Amino acid sequence: MNALQRVATGVLVVVALPVAAASASRPDPSAAAPALAANAPPPLATRRTPFTHFGAQAVLPLRGDGALAVIDFGSRADELVTRVTVHFRYAYSPALAPGTSNVQVSLNGVVIGTLAMTPEDAGKTVARDIEVDPRLIVGGNRLVMTLAAAQGSVPEDPARPGLWAEVSGESELEIRVQPLAVADDLAILPEPFFDRRDQRRVTIPFVFAARPSTATLRAAAVVASWFGLQATWRGARFPTHLDAPAPGHSIAFISNGERPAFLAALPAAAGPELRMMTNPADNRSKLLLVMGRDGDDLKAAADALVLGKPAMSGPMTQVKRVSHLGPRAAYDAPRLVRLDRAVRLDELIEGPQQLQAAGRPPELDPIRIDLRVPPDLATGRGPGVPLALKLEYTPTACVSDSYLDVGIGDEVLEVVKLRTAPEAITTTREIVIAAHRLRSRVPLQFGFRFALNDEAGCRASQATAVKAAVSADSTLDFSGLPHYARMPNLEYFATVGFPFTRFADLSQTIVVLPDNPLAADIEAMLGLIARMGEATGVPATYLRIATPKDEAALVDADLLLVGASPQHALLGKWAEALPAALPGQRRREGAPVGRVAAVSRWLGFGAAADTNVAGPASFEGSAPLAVVYGFESPVTPGRSVVAVTAVASDQVLRVLDALDNPEMRRAVGGSAAFVFPNKVESVLAGRTYSIGFLPPWTGAGHWLAEHPVVSGVLAAVALLLVSYASWRIAGRVAAGRARSAA
């Protein structure tokens, strides 16, 4: 929570009334709401989670004696673990000595069992279950697998040499839990709605009246963005309930004139309030009430929740004043790289241990830093982005050569030869990251390698650990680069919510919902805003929400349209601006048209330069379909519209499912992305436009790079002119020599 406060846009003052006074002046809201479930003990719940869900790879390799593989997982504060079983699937080399070799398994430093190795199972996949004492489970847990490797009598397999074992990422952790009672105390927020130790996707039902107003939905979007930024890689979804209770830890948004029927008995609010009570849907979980007299009060209460949590305690808090410092500047999101100066690598990580590597030669565990770069940063207009590295490592006496593999994404950027000596070494190196290697989200990776001598006794030194680190004051410098992008490009929206996240608090964004949004429309909107909060690290406190009736207010803003096409009036009104259309069962797509297309066609070159985002595709049939459109705003040139829609209201949520799936998300691009049940197909069609500004000396080169045919013609003309000038000069020189000779 402290990290959240450091990136908050303003200073919030929340005055909490004493709990006793609040209880005396108001009836207990949980007593006012009728119980909808019997007051019975909560049932036990059992979960089986594969190791891959905890961040493990498909295979966890163990190479050599003492090799480790680690799985970190958490236990929620509102659950009591009553039983734990680890279901292992593993394989091992036939060269390992049976009986002597094994994989030792420990949990939080306590050995809980071993994975045995027998000759008859060597090279096969073996299943083994280990029961764990549930008392070993704490809030944060570490499961460690250590290979004890001894050479057996069977020679090594030439195809897979060495002493190795592998644990499958499909191994599972099975936990049975008993839900615990949670106090009505706002001080524990964001628990129990979000528990950082829970590594599952965050799912929080949101409850509204039958027809929530745009002001109510604005407050809900602010709260959704806050939970989204805390959920980080887990993702967050908000099942929407209209005039109906939701079991489980839920959040309700109610004003004096707008509330669900099951909360009708609650006393009227005197101002912005936050309350926590027992959820009447199951009489066990918690219901957080975001309350107020009207929509403005709800917004104040939502801002208090996302910006001022440390001042809250007890079951109820009244918000007296919320102070903001104003909208944020462009590109200042804390989860994006800095653009005003060189950024230190320790500003891009969660803890210093992320820059440290330790292990046994020849290869240490890689260091990984996730970069988030504004998509419109024109990195291609210069030599690249300088990376100034400071490295610290300590080779052993048996190390013959040292290397650092620097990679970005799935590509090797550079292999750095390091100095080798049996002592602590500090060295520096500068590398330039080429522009075409950068993406909106891309991992920067550092892998230390230490080759061992072949001298007698040195191979046994593999058990000696080596430490290495990339210094925290190493820097990346993105400063001075201009902003420019050809649009639309839905890849930017899918990865970091661009162009909306250009302003981290979404102060330049308006969400446009149908006049009467359905539950699926609202849930889709909340999920998209949560993704933007995760991308920026800032709650969307300046977001606006409108309907098609508010078209006059949509000027000078980037617009996010959400809702099924039959219910969304603007999609019909702006049909000519859409890059593709789905009228009934017939789906058409237009040809790409750029602002320079007319000149290009007049010159006979066509408009091929506008088709470089995604290849053309055709879409036929009547399968369930959702679609994401990107196009220029019909009300403000240079502004962007992203429309998330579907042919039926229950299919809008397919877009969230696609964005949550890494493989499907990578397929989103161009100006129209068609989302089918198991795939995404994208196309660039319709008018293109640009945002940002390039200096003339840079912009001309960029335009020519996008129009290679024009570039070729200009180059040919230039060559002819140079040839002609050379011929004339040569002729004059020859004439001068002739006159001199005469």
Side-chain angles (χ1 to χ4, degrees), residues 505-576:
D505 53 11
L506 303 192
S507 60
Q508 299 290 309
T509 296
I510 300 177
V511 174
V512 186
L513 293 169
D515 291 322
N516 297 307
L518 303 176
D521 302 331
I522 298 172
E523 181 178 348
M525 181 272 292
L526 295 172
L528 292 170
I529 299 302
R531 292 183 62 84
M532 296 179 196
E534 185 276 331
T536 63
V538 174
T541 50
Y542 281 88
L543 175 71
R544 291 167 284 170
I545 294 184
T547 68
K549 295 178 181 178
D550 307 314
E551 185 175 358
L554 304 183
V555 296
D556 199 25
D558 296 310
L559 308 178
L560 176 61
L561 274 62
V562 181
S565 55
Q567 287 82 36
H568 213 303
L570 283 184
L571 289 174
K573 185 173 181 179
W574 293 349
E576 293 303 316

Side-chain angles (χ1 to χ4, degrees), residues 206-213 216-217 240-245 251-263 298 517-519 522:
F206 275 20
V207 178
F208 302 93
R211 296 184 63 176
S213 64
T216 298
L217 295 176
T240 298
H241 297 254
L242 301 180
D243 200 26
I251 302 178
F253 298 84
I254 60 175
S255 62
N256 290 346
E258 182 185 310
R259 60 179 61 192
F262 75 97
L263 294 174
L298 288 183
L518 303 176
I522 298 172

Side-chain angles (χ1 to χ4, degrees), residues 480-495:
L481 296 171
H483 293 276
Y484 179 86
R486 294 298 300 273
M487 301 289 282
N489 191 338
L490 291 175
E491 177 188 355
Y492 302 160
F493 172 74
T495 52

